[in-house]
Amino acid sequence: MSLQQQLRKRLGPSFRRWVKRLDHPDIRNARLFAQRLRSDPMDVLHLGASESQFTHPDDADPRTLPQMFADALAPELSTYSIAAPGTHFKLYQAYLEILARYPVRPIVVLSFPLRLGYDIWEFHPEHGHEKPLRALLRIPPHRPPSRFHTYVPLPTAADYAHHDAIQIPTVDGLKPYGDIRRQLKNPARAGLDQDQFTRLSYAFLHSYLDPLNQSYLDSITAVGACLRDMNVPVVLYWVPIPLDRADVVLGPQARERAIKLFATMEEAWVDGYGPDADHLRIFEFLKTEEFLDADDGIEHFRESGRRKMADQVAEAVLRQRAALASRSR
């Protein structure tokens, strides 16, 4: 029995919490990324969020989104993907600062998540990545990848209680995050029928009544400037929501608000990087039935949706590669 298996048996349900404390996934991702840069540099680097991980049990093709476009680009180009729920531009920048230490300049594919630009997601005790990000930035730049280890304190009950108390605007007025989270987690206990659940879910996730956090927009600009300074070609894909369904649930203003907020993010990006990146507006061609569950409005996709997105990303990567080759002649 390996040491890990022994610890899992002894610690039981708390095993995962100890692993996250002693070798947090964000720190481990940074370590594995640096090791890959040293041993086998990639042609394409993908940085994504949860849309890169989820599939549907009924999918005939179980591959994730990055696996699909990596296969489409292989064997001509190798792809390396870093993705986790809630990954946002501040964490992207930490990984890109590792890239800047090496003489490797892959084409970079970035997820452009809209929902993470709000307090409840950007500063979520677990999925906001705030504590691991601070720990990651404490690692000295000269430390070899094999020693990318640091302690990450886990979220406390007080952290979650503070987060649950955040008042968030929805189309149904200001509500504490914790109240909505509990209702959506157990709609039957909350007395919600399917239509009420869907409306609350969309109102919670995608009403977009507030402007995006300025800190989030600043982090987008900072990532753009970092990649511009490295002279790295970039492909951005806007992570969409089921806008056709949102129009029915919330009214036609939902699509208009979402597109305006994406445009605000794009302006922040151009301020840092310039206009030369490929911007893939995925929502323009995805149908409601191609989302994992259009009733809850989460930005995850079924096989057909992932395949469409993967084809678009692969084509854009090849365009950027051709443009790069023509400039270097």
Side-chain angles (χ1 to χ4, degrees):
M1 185 181 294
S2 70
L3 176 60
Q4 188 178 72
Q5 289 171 327
Q6 293 176 46
L7 288 171
R8 188 186 297 273
K9 183 177 180 180
R10 175 170 295 188
L11 295 173
S14 64
F15 175 77
R16 286 186 63 196
R17 289 178 59 83
W18 276 102
V19 169
K20 291 190 82 169
R21 183 178 296 172
L22 299 176
D23 191 20
H24 192 279
D26 293 340
I27 309 300
R28 185 164 61 249
N29 282 338
R31 180 173 67 250
L32 295 174
F33 178 41
Q35 289 172 341
R36 174 66 183 267
L37 288 169
R38 289 170 65 124
S39 64
D40 184 20
M42 69 292 297
D43 300 305
V44 179
L45 170 64
H46 167 245
L47 299 176
S50 58
E51 86 290 337
S52 303
Q53 296 183 309
F54 285 86
T55 61
H56 193 278
D58 296 336
D59 288 339
D61 186 343
R63 292 178 300 164
T64 62
L65 172 63
Q67 287 171 337
M68 283 184 169
F69 66 72
D71 289 346
L73 294 169
E76 188 176 5
L77 298 175
S78 61
T79 301
Y80 188 83
S81 178
I82 304 174
T87 302
H88 51 68
F89 282 85
K90 292 177 184 176
L91 196 54
Y92 289 170
Q93 185 164 11
Y95 292 138
L96 293 172
E97 286 172 359
I98 295 172
L99 174 65
R101 301 171 200 163
Y102 294 85
V104 181
R105 294 297 177 261
I107 297 170
V108 173
V109 177
L110 287 178
S111 164
F112 224 52
L114 175 58
R115 183 158 50 102
L116 302 182
Y118 294 94
D119 281 352
I120 55 168
W121 305 112
E122 187 177 359
F123 304 114
H124 190 281
E126 182 174 1
H127 300 308
H129 302 268
E130 188 176 4
K131 290 182 179 180
L133 179 59
R134 288 202 301 266
L136 183 57
L137 296 176
R138 287 198 304 267
I139 298 176
H142 58 272
R143 182 176 293 181
S146 60
R147 296 183 58 213
F148 272 35
H149 293 277
T150 187
Y151 171 80
V152 177
L154 294 178
T156 65
D159 292 332
Y160 284 108
H162 174 76
H163 191 254
D164 276 353
I166 294 175
Q167 295 281 326
I168 61 172
T170 75
V171 292
D172 296 320
L174 279 174
K175 299 194 176 196
Y177 166 77
D179 288 357
I180 300 176
R181 176 180 59 79
R182 284 185 284 271
Q183 288 179 336
L184 292 176
K185 188 172 183 178
N186 196 334
R189 178 180 293 179
L192 301 179
D193 61 26
Q194 184 60 54
D195 289 342
Q196 291 170 322
F197 169 82
T198 301
R199 178 176 173 78
L200 181 62
S201 180
Y202 273 84
F204 170 49
L205 293 171
H206 302 303
S207 61
Y208 304 144
L209 297 182
D210 269 3
L212 294 166
N213 287 346
Q214 188 58 47
S215 64
Y216 187 63
L217 296 174
D218 290 344
S219 68
I220 293 173
T221 302
V223 166
C226 178
L227 289 166
R228 179 201 62 209
D229 292 343
M230 285 192 283
N231 197 28
V232 170
V234 176
V235 173
L236 301 169
Y237 61 90
W238 295 17
V239 180
I241 66 167
L243 286 178
D244 290 342
R245 185 79 170 112
D247 283 348
V248 173
V249 175
L250 299 177
Q253 72 276 12
R255 174 185 294 270
E256 182 181 345
R257 281 201 302 265
I259 292 173
K260 283 183 177 178
L261 290 171
F262 270 125
T264 302
M265 291 172 63
E266 191 168 9
E267 289 172 7
W269 171 264
V270 171
D271 286 344
Y273 185 83
D276 295 331
D278 246 308
H279 293 259
L280 304 180
R281 295 168 177 83
I282 304 294
F283 63 82
E284 293 177 352
F285 58 83
L286 276 189
K287 300 176 182 177
T288 297
E289 60 268 21
E290 292 173 321
F291 287 81
L292 212 58
D293 185 353
D295 281 339
D296 70 11
I298 295 291
E299 311 94 324
H300 301 151
F301 313 100
R302 291 175 179 263
E303 176 186 343
S304 59
R306 296 196 309 276
R307 193 179 299 280
K308 281 185 179 180
M309 294 174 70
D311 289 344
Q312 292 275 333
V313 170
E315 289 173 10
V317 166
L318 294 177
R319 282 197 301 271
Q320 287 290 339
R321 184 169 183 256
L324 185 63
S326 66
R327 288 197 299 269
S328 61
R329 286 183 191 141

